[in-house]
Amino acid sequence: AKSSVEVSAANAFGSQDISNMLWAYATTKCIAVSPLPPLADRAAKLGWDQFQPQEVSICMWAAMTLGVADARPQVHAAVQRLLQHTARQIRKGGTSSFEPRHLSNAAWALARWQRHCRLTGLRQECKAAVARPALRSIAQEASGRLDDFAEHELVRLLWALGSEGCLHLRLLAKPLTTTLSKPSSSSSDSLPFPSNRLVKLDVEQLTTLATVLSWTLERAVWEPRAAQGRNALPAVPGDDRSGFRETTRDAAIEKQSRGQQPHSDEESPNFVGQQVSQALDKPTPPPPPPPPPSPPPLPSSAPLEGRLRDDDTRRRRRRNG
């Protein structure tokens, strides 16, 4: 339980104090006495619109880190509350003032917490109708500034979007191809081929990038069109697809999240596609045999019964006569 000392100290904190305190505890992985519940309450009272973009991203990253390391339910509830409030602020206020590292950290904190909850069965997962619009807003802002991202920031952003089904190729395919094909500033003259930004990625980053792109391709191929429409981005100028209105789409996602349990497959965001592919791999059972023809109707027994009655009548008459 929160002590009165913790609550009174948190009530005097400003936005920078909250972000600095959370960053210190998360960096040192100090979970003996978690300051997260009182600080989350204090941040909600201040209003997240009073926080700078750097402070918002630091608070999201620190809350996710402390929630993963701590097993106490009150800490998990505080993480869920803080991330949902910040996600709503991102959706409402936009991310135009965010730097690339802020966009990457905010997206990664949201997606990493969602994945942790599904892996461990925690019920403090953020609502899809809150987390996904925030991720779509981040993707919309990042699509025009991919050149400004460092390699590790770009890979982390793509993983966050892909793991939650928010990496849309019609928005990010062209700018991503352009930024990855640009010549690398640290290219070596000994390479027999022109180098680009992919050369600067290590093995783990390359593997992550390939996995994320395979998730997106799998979703585009196997996921039903109705599910794609619920997660689609709003229509952009020049696109002949009108898309769904954001409020209707988010309401449908929230209704689905309330009525269904979270899926447990964390290595791919497209669990629907995996079920379809598994069904296609199974051998198709042979069709059932046709029903046998019905037997011909039996002849009527009425004439035979009539003849028997006549014979009985004759025998009785002969005996009596």
Side-chain angles (χ1 to χ4, degrees):
K2 296 180 291 185
S3 65
S4 59
V5 176
E6 290 176 334
V7 175
S8 60
N11 287 336
F13 280 8
S15 60
Q16 186 175 359
D17 301 325
I18 294 174
S19 62
N20 289 344
M21 180 68 75
L22 289 177
W23 178 87
Y25 272 80
T27 303
T28 58
K29 300 291 179 65
C30 180
I31 59 174
V33 181
S34 176
L36 189 55
L39 291 181
D41 294 340
R42 175 58 180 168
K45 291 179 181 178
L46 285 176
W48 285 102
D49 56 343
Q50 303 298 321
F51 285 70
Q52 297 297 322
Q54 181 179 3
E55 296 168 351
V56 172
S57 64
I58 288 176
C59 289
M60 296 176 70
W61 170 84
M64 180 276 303
T65 303
L66 291 174
V68 170
D70 204 324
R72 285 171 288 189
Q74 62 268 25
V75 176
H76 296 161
V79 175
Q80 181 192 36
R81 186 166 64 253
L82 188 148
L83 290 179
Q84 289 195 152
H85 289 174
T86 52
R88 289 192 181 100
Q89 177 59 32
I90 288 175
R91 177 186 178 184
K92 179 181 177 182
T95 55
S96 58
S97 59
F98 279 57
E99 296 180 8
R101 58 195 176 99
H102 303 154
L103 296 172
S104 178
N105 288 337
W108 187 79
L110 270 176
R112 180 69 176 83
W113 178 249
Q114 299 292 83
R115 179 180 185 272
H116 175 72
C117 289
R118 290 194 289 261
L119 272 178
T120 57
L122 295 179
R123 302 183 64 181
Q124 286 80 12
E125 182 181 2
C126 297
K127 294 181 180 179
V130 176
R132 287 180 178 173
L135 291 173
R136 290 196 295 266
S137 177
I138 292 174
Q140 189 79 36
E141 179 64 30
S143 62
R145 296 193 283 161
L146 292 182
D147 293 341
D148 300 333
F149 283 77
E151 280 71 23
H152 68 279
E153 295 171 348
L154 180 61
V155 172
R156 177 173 287 191
L157 173 68
L158 294 177
W159 180 89
L161 298 176
S163 65
E164 292 301 308
C166 296
L167 179 60
H168 299 280
L169 293 179
R170 68 186 179 96
L171 174 68
L172 290 171
K174 185 175 180 179
L176 183 60
T177 303
T178 302
T179 188
L180 291 178
S181 61
K182 285 189 175 181
S184 174
S185 58
S186 61
S187 59
S188 175
D189 297 336
S190 60
L191 293 176
F193 51 86
S195 61
N196 48 35
R197 294 189 68 182
L198 290 174
V199 178
K200 301 175 69 175
L201 301 181
D202 57 23
V203 175
E204 184 177 357
Q205 292 171 345
L206 278 173
T207 304
T208 302
L209 179 59
T211 304
V212 168
L213 294 178
S214 67
W215 290 348
T216 306
L217 181 61
E218 179 189 19
R219 176 181 177 273
V221 172
W222 290 111
E223 191 170 78
R225 290 188 178 273
Q228 292 181 16
R230 286 196 299 268
N231 298 333
L233 284 164
V236 296
D239 190 1
D240 55 350
R241 294 182 293 177
S242 59
F244 286 80
R245 305 186 78 178
E246 189 172 356
T247 54
T248 304
R249 178 179 62 249
D250 295 340
I253 294 174
E254 185 173 3
K255 180 178 178 181
Q256 183 181 7
S257 64
R258 290 197 304 265
Q260 298 180 358
Q261 295 294 329
H263 62 84
S264 59
D265 187 357
E266 289 302 318
E267 295 305 320
S268 171
N270 183 16
F271 60 99
V272 176
Q274 290 180 351
Q275 294 176 354
V276 174
S277 60
Q278 290 174 4
L280 292 178
D281 292 339
K282 296 180 181 180
T284 304
S294 57
L298 296 176
S300 176
S301 58
L304 178 61
E305 293 175 356
R307 288 196 299 269
L308 292 177
R309 285 195 299 269
D310 294 342
D311 293 342
D312 292 340
T313 302
R314 293 192 198 92
R315 284 195 293 271
R316 285 196 298 270
R317 287 175 179 177
R318 283 196 295 270
R319 284 197 301 269
N320 295 332

